[in-house]
């Protein structure tokens, strides 16, 4: 047994040695490749795709930043953490130009800030595919653990998962076409009316409370319920956190859908790490078993909806359109000539819709709500428009087709919020071939296997495209008066300088869906005589102080969990009061 202590010392040393050697080797290899591009280069020692690092990056770096001089301020502390892009805004590109490379031990990351180059990046989807191996937080896990593609969690593997999303090439084209059938104006009408109803109830609840610290979760409830109706034809009433506490857990699978989806999303990383069969083990802690139960229940719910829909289709029943229904119909019709979606693909896509359409919307809504609370004059500005459009018409009679297009200011609030806080960063790569790309008039050759990160945080705030106040939140920048009739129009940003819903063949199919949901919600909230403001933190806090406190919370306490979000919105409760 004499070797045992030796092993105890040697094993960690060996591991550490291997890690260091791999790092040095990777950096040298990638540096050689980066140099061929001929643009500025920075180094970081740890791959941003390393999940263990992403768990501790902020904590470790905040410690290292305290070191004196260059020890505390260097590329490592500046670039080696998740979310630096948003904090950095356009500064790095201002220092280094519209393209530069971050060399890491695993891949090179090419940062791009040139609108024309970004346009061709999105347009040339075949040259610059989405790296299917990158799955946001989960990418590295997937590579390392070679996770199985077990339904529906293959979905999460891709941030926007299968199948519309994981699939590349022909398979993807078919699926995308099918899925796009479902995002149509009929569906948007449902999004509209469901959002109006839910927002009305949400406002009733908000205005009945002395102050609310649950804005984020209430907005999340709203977005989930809209999705449930427009996606599956299942309508749920708005319910507050209070309501939920007092309710008995329902045995009904439709009501459980919401809760199970929520549980799945909150525990996505865990499910991925452990696998769905593992978390079924009866000896595991209750939390894990609950996660598994959620998975089973969500899956059962999908199956029952699908079977219901197929049966209805078989007997020729028609009803209100929803995403599931359109997809089943399209696939059954196409199945006759062999090109339909398989059952698994439909489940995969429904999960993607849920996954892609829920938190994105909820987080953007939360940012917007806090920006509005800090900017009472913008609330007035919205009120003016909403009043102009609806006069005294009651909410029940608000017509989607006639009114939605006129609520430009309401929509500008979403654009402005997403300009500053893009919830979903798209990443592309060069795959197995080097690709030429024109950047600032120069044709550069981007080596194979390079990651390409459109610099959203930068191009969407660059003063060249957005003016000197580009870092301020000011929705009116998106509004112009039309030359013809003086009506207000949504300003089209400088081409290539805004990519909030991505672009090209793989852009967000839910873009309009999210517009409609947001505009309807704003119209309800700010039509009334209620206004929202931050609750004072101490009795005589001035409105100015409260306002900067909220702006500080937005700017300095946001970060990437799965998506970019406010980390602690509950720290600034909001108050609704009559004007
Ligand atoms: C404010 C709200 C939203 C924003 C900012 C947003 C943004 C995006 C972005 C940037 C992408 C591309 C991701 C990538 O390239 O990796 C995307 C993809 C996607 N989004 Fe959205 N989205 C929103 C709402 C929605 C909604 C409401 C739905 C559905 C109901 C939805 C469904 C999807 C789907 C299915 C994809 C994958 C498309 C594909 O791979 O071809 N999104 N979204
Ligand atoms: C997703 O798509 C891939 C490739 O098209 C397919 O192999 C897989 O079975 C699909 N998974 C689901 C859950 O639909
Ligand atoms: C964010 O934090 C920085 C550094 O502490 C501060 O200078 C800045 O004013 C804060 N942002 C806001 C909006 O308060």
């Amino acid at each position: 047994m004499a070797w045992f202590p030796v092993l105890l010392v040697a094993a960690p040393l060996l591991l550490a040695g291997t890690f260091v050697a791999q790092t040095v080797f990777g950096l040298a290899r990638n540096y050689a490749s980066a140099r061929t591009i001929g643009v500025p280069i920075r180094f970081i020692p740890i791959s941003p795709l390393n999940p263990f690092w992403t768990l501790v990056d902020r904590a470790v770096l905040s410690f290292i930043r305290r070191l004196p001089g260059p020890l505390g301020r260097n590329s490592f502390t500046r670039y080696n953490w998740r979310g630096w892009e948003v904090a950095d805004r356009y500064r790095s590109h201002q220092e280094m130009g519209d393209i530069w490379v971050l060399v890491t031990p695993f891949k090179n990351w090419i940062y791009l800030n040139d609108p024309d180059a970004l346009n061709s990046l999105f347009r040339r989807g075949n040259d610059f595919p989405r790296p299917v191996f990158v799955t946001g937080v989960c990418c590295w896990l997937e590579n390392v653990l070679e996770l199985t593609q077990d339904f529906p969690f293959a979905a999460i593997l891709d941030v926007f998962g299968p199948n519309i999303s994981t699939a590349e090439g022909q398979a993807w084209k078919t699926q995308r076409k099918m899925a796009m059938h479902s995002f149509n104006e009929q569906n948007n009408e449902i999004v509209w009316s469901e959002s109006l109803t839910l927002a009305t109830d949400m406002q009733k609840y908000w205005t009945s409370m002395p102050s609310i610290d649950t804005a984020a979760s209430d907005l999340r409830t709203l977005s989930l319920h809209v999705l449930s109706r427009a996606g599956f034809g299942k309508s749920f009433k708005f319910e507050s956190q209070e309501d939920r506490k007092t309710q008995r857990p329902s045995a009904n699978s439709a009501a459980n859908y919401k809760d199970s989806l929520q549980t799945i999303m909150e525990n996505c990383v865990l499910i991925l790490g452990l696998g769905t069969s593992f978390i079924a083990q009866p000896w595991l802690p209750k939390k894990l078993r609950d996660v598994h139960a959620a998975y089973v229940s969500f899956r059962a719910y999908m199956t029952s909806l699908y079977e219901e829909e197929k049966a209805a289709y078989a007997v020729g029943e028609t009803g209100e359109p929803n995403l599931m229904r359109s997809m089943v119909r399209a696939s059954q019709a196409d199945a006759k000539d062999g090109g339909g979606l398989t059952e698994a693909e439909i489940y995969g896509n429904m999960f993607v819709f849920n996954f892609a359409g829920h938190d994105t919307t909820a987080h953007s809504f939360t940012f917007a709500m806090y920006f509005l609370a800090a900017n009472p004059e913008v609330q007035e500005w919205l009120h003016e428009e909403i009043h102009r459009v609806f006069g005294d018409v009651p909410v029940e009679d608000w017509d989607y087709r006639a009114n939605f297009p006129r609520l430009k200011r309401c929509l500008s609030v979403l654009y402005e919020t997403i300009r500053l806080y893009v919830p979903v960063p798209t990443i592309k790569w060069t795959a197995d071939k080097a690709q030429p790309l024109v950047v600032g008039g120069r044709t550069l050759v981007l080596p194979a296997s390079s990651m390409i990160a459109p610099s959203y945080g930068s191009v969407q705030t660059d003063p060249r495209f957005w003016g000197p106040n580009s870092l301020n939140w000011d929705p009116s920048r998106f509004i112009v008066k039309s030359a013809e009739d003086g009506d207000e129009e949504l300003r089209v940003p400088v081409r290539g300088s805004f990519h909030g819903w991505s672009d090209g063949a793989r852009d967000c199919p839910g873009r309009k869906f999210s517009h409609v949901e947001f505009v309807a919600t704003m119209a309800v909230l700010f039509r009334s005589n209620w206004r929202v403001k931050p609750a004072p933190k101490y009795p005589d806090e001035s409105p100015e102080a409260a306002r900067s406190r909220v702006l500080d919370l937005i700017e300095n306490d946001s970060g990437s969990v799965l998506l970019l979000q406010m980390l602690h919105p509950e720290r600034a409760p909001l108050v609704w009061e009559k004007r």
Side-chain angles (χ1 to χ4, degrees), residues 98-167:
D98 280 342
I99 176 168
W100 61 279
V101 187
L102 190 60
V103 173
T104 88
F106 179 45
K107 297 273 178 212
N108 282 333
W109 291 71
I110 301 176
Y111 283 89
L112 255 192
N113 185 55
D114 175 30
D116 293 331
L118 287 171
N119 270 337
S120 54
L121 179 77
F122 286 117
R123 238 189 11 252
R124 290 163 56 191
N126 293 332
D127 296 347
F128 301 106
R130 181 187 296 169
V132 170
F133 73 93
V134 172
T135 56
V137 273
C138 309
C139 53
W140 206 74
L141 275 178
E142 183 191 6
N143 269 357
V144 170
L145 305 178
E146 295 182 52
L147 294 166
T148 50
Q149 301 251 318
D150 188 7
F151 160 81
F153 297 105
I156 318 172
L157 290 180
D158 205 25
V159 180
F160 290 108
N163 246 312
I164 182 170
S165 204
T166 318

Side-chain angles (χ1 to χ4, degrees), residues 149-152 154 162-163 166-167 171 175 342-349:
Q149 301 251 318
D150 188 7
F151 160 81
N163 246 312
T166 318
Q175 287 182 33
T342 66
E343 186 175 329
E345 283 169 342
I346 291 185
Y347 293 144
N349 284 335

Side-chain angles (χ1 to χ4, degrees), residues 130 160 164-165 172 176 183 227 323 352-353 356-357 360-361 364 414 418 423-424 426 500-502 506-510 513-514:
R130 181 187 296 169
F160 290 108
I164 182 170
S165 204
W172 171 76
R176 170 92 185 186
F183 290 95
L227 201 59
L323 300 181
V352 177
F353 290 172
T360 43
T361 322
S364 314
L414 182 61
I418 286 179
V424 200
T426 303
W501 284 269
S502 191
R506 300 208 75 156
D507 68 348
C508 173
F513 185 122
S514 62

Side-chain angles (χ1 to χ4, degrees), residues 551-552 555-556:
L551 291 178
D552 185 32
E555 183 171 316
N556 291 320

